[in-house]
């Protein structure tokens, strides 16, 4: 089967990582896989480095008149059997291309993968999911439940889990403390994500200030890419002598997380959160908000602790509890590792992809 993934976003993140994981596993299953992406993007460069054929096309709301015909021509030229879209803009391009294919007697299967829990509000956005794709792929139970609520038929839904290579992550050794001159006996509390408001950067900063009241020698780490304005604002909120580290954008999330005594994931909304899966492999105790899907992965007092949603004070209480109760914290960390190895390893994704593509093959045969 010839499979084409489309990806609009230009910056690297968990969603782009998942796309490449899927492409790699599909290739391992014996399929020919292409990427249709904006030019000069990180995912395009990485896909090329991995030996995939990348088709560059400028995709934005201003270029639909170019990108839709281009995608249609690619589907015809390469005899694409299945197109999988991942973001809002490329999904609209995919939906329009599907209509063109149907009008021209081309029976390509079009799928839209839903990575997040952002609200789907407008009539046309709902129609995109309920009527304009053959399959809607979802990455967590919370996303699947939401899609059912807006009217996507169960028959169109397919669970395609977010996964990681747990074998590699379990073997990762951290040199982060050495890199930043942090002693082994120092208390380190940190986060790692894209550091903007909806990812809980301000929530974590407020909780960290409360942690400093009890542990004035702690080291607080803000891991991940951050806007300079947000960074400057946070720096001004901390006192002189309080050590905070901004790592900037890094590829080695687990190297950083494994240096923590407590990992905090204060994101307000997620489809699932690949970095949270990585943290669960770190054997470091975790605090999240009591909100799906985070509290599905980290059930309170099972695999970690959950703070009341958007409550930075409670976030700090849960952090302090983990610091004060070492044996309990280590037990949660072991439970988290066992859970992610069982439910979110690449072997689960590979099996799901094989099932999905078998269904797609059967649908194509039935359409002939």
């Amino acid at each position: 089967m010839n499979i084409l993934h489309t990806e609009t976003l230009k910056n690297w993140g968990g969603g782009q990582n998942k796309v490449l994981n899927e492409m790699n596993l599909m290739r391992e299953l014996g399929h020919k896989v292409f990427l249709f992406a904006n030019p000069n993007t990180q995912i395009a460069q990485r896909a090329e480095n991995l030996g995939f054929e990348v088709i560059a096309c400028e995709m934005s709301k201003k270029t639909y008149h170019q990108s839709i015909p281009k995608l249609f021509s690619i589907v015809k030229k390469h005899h694409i059997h299945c197109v999988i879209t991942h973001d809002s803009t490329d999904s609209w391009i995919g939906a329009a291309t599907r209509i063109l294919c149907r009008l021209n007697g081309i029976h390509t299967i079009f799928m839209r993968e839903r990575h997040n829990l952002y609200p789907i509000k407008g009539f046309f956005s709902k129609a995109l999911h309920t009527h304009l794709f053959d399959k809607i792929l979802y990455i967590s139970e919370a996303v699947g439940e939401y899609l059912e609520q807006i009217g996507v038929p169960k028959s169109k839904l397919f669970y395609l889990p977010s996964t990681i290579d747990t074998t590699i992550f379990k073997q990762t050794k951290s040199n982060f403390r050495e890199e930043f001159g942090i002693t082994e006996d120092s208390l380190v509390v940190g986060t790692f994500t894209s550091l903007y408001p909806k990812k809980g950067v301000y929530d974590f900063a407020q909780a960290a200030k409360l942690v400093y009241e009890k542990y004035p020698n702690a080291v607080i780490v803000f891991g991940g890419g951050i806007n300079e304005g947000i960074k400057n604002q946070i720096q001004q909120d901390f006192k002189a002598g309080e050590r905070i580290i901004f790592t900037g954008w890094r590829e080695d999330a687990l190297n950083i997380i494994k240096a923590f005594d407590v990992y905090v994931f204060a994101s307000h909304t997620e489809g699932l959160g690949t970095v949270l899966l990585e943290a669960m492999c770190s054997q470091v105790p975790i605090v999240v908000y009591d909100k799906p899907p985070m509290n599905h992965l980290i059930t309170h007092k099972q695999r970690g602790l959950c703070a009341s949603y958007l409550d930075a004070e409670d976030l700090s209480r849960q952090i302090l509890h983990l610091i004060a109760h070492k044996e309990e914290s280590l037990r949660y960390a072991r439970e988290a590792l066992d859970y992610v190895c069982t439910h979110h390893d690449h072997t689960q994704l590979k099996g799901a992809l094989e099932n999905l593509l078998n269904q797609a093959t059967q649908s194509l045969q039935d359409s002939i």
Side-chain angles (χ1 to χ4, degrees), residues 136-281:
I136 304 294
L137 314 178
Y138 62 97
I139 68 169
S140 70
E141 290 180 7
V143 176
E145 290 168 2
Y146 178 71
L147 289 167
E148 281 192 58
Q149 289 172 13
I150 67 161
V152 180
K154 275 191 175 182
S155 59
K156 277 194 175 187
L157 292 172
F158 189 94
Y159 176 50
L160 201 61
S162 278
T163 60
I164 57 176
D165 189 334
T166 59
T167 301
I168 290 175
F169 284 123
K170 283 188 292 185
Q171 295 171 352
T172 300
K173 303 295 182 184
S174 177
N175 63 2
F176 182 78
R177 288 191 180 227
E178 291 85 346
E179 180 184 348
F180 282 86
I182 304 169
T183 61
E184 282 302 312
D185 60 348
S186 293
L187 173 65
V188 181
V189 177
T191 189
F192 190 102
T193 185
S194 297
L195 296 169
Y196 57 89
K198 284 189 177 180
K199 292 288 187 175
V201 62
Y202 292 125
D203 308 56
F204 174 65
Q206 291 176 41
K209 286 188 288 184
L210 296 172
V211 170
Y212 267 132
E213 292 179 5
K214 189 169 181 64
Y215 296 96
N217 295 320
V219 179
I220 305 299
V221 179
F222 291 81
I226 187 169
N227 173 277
E228 282 298 313
I230 293 174
K231 178 181 174 181
N232 292 335
Q233 185 177 346
I234 289 171
Q235 285 176 320
Q236 291 171 11
D237 288 341
F238 285 87
K239 299 174 185 176
E242 293 178 335
R243 188 173 183 194
I244 57 174
I245 295 172
F246 292 91
T247 69
W249 187 85
R250 301 266 298 237
E251 292 189 21
D252 57 339
L254 200 64
N255 172 46
I256 296 170
I257 294 169
K258 279 196 170 186
F260 298 166
D261 291 289
V262 178
Y263 170 73
V264 183
F265 191 66
S267 182
H268 298 178
T269 179
E270 290 289 327
L272 188 117
T274 304
V275 71
L276 184 52
L277 298 179
E278 295 180 15
M280 292 172 75
C281 265

Side-chain angles (χ1 to χ4, degrees), residues 12-133:
W12 185 258
Q16 292 69 44
N17 192 47
K18 189 173 192 297
V19 173
L20 279 190
N21 286 338
E22 291 174 11
M23 291 172 64
N24 273 317
L25 293 172
M26 287 175 172
R27 183 165 61 182
E28 287 181 18
L29 289 167
H31 301 283
K32 175 70 173 175
V33 186
F34 304 81
L35 177 67
F36 189 76
N38 274 306
N40 303 315
T41 55
Q42 291 188 48
I43 190 171
Q45 293 166 4
R46 293 188 186 205
E48 286 180 345
N49 291 339
L50 290 169
F52 292 103
E53 183 172 341
V54 176
I55 301 157
C57 178
E58 189 64 41
M59 286 185 282
S60 70
K61 293 179 180 179
K62 296 180 179 179
T63 60
Y64 282 150
H65 63 290
Q66 297 173 337
S67 53
I68 292 169
K70 178 71 177 286
L71 181 57
F72 178 66
S73 69
I74 294 301
V75 169
K76 289 203 302 180
K77 177 182 177 181
H78 293 283
H79 305 287
I80 300 296
H81 302 103
C82 178
V83 174
I84 303 176
T85 72
H86 293 272
D87 298 298
S88 176
T89 300
D90 59 298
S91 291
W92 283 109
I93 294 166
T97 304
R98 178 178 179 268
I99 293 171
L100 285 178
C101 286
R102 295 297 189 271
L103 291 174
N104 286 272
I106 300 170
H107 296 286
T108 300
I109 303 295
F110 281 78
M111 304 181 185
R112 197 274 200 247
E113 184 165 349
R114 183 74 181 175
H115 291 260
N116 58 56
L117 268 173
Y118 296 141
I120 301 169
K121 295 180 179 179
F123 171 82
F124 291 108
S125 293
K126 288 183 179 179
L128 179 78
H129 293 82
T130 56
H131 290 90
L132 299 182
F133 281 90

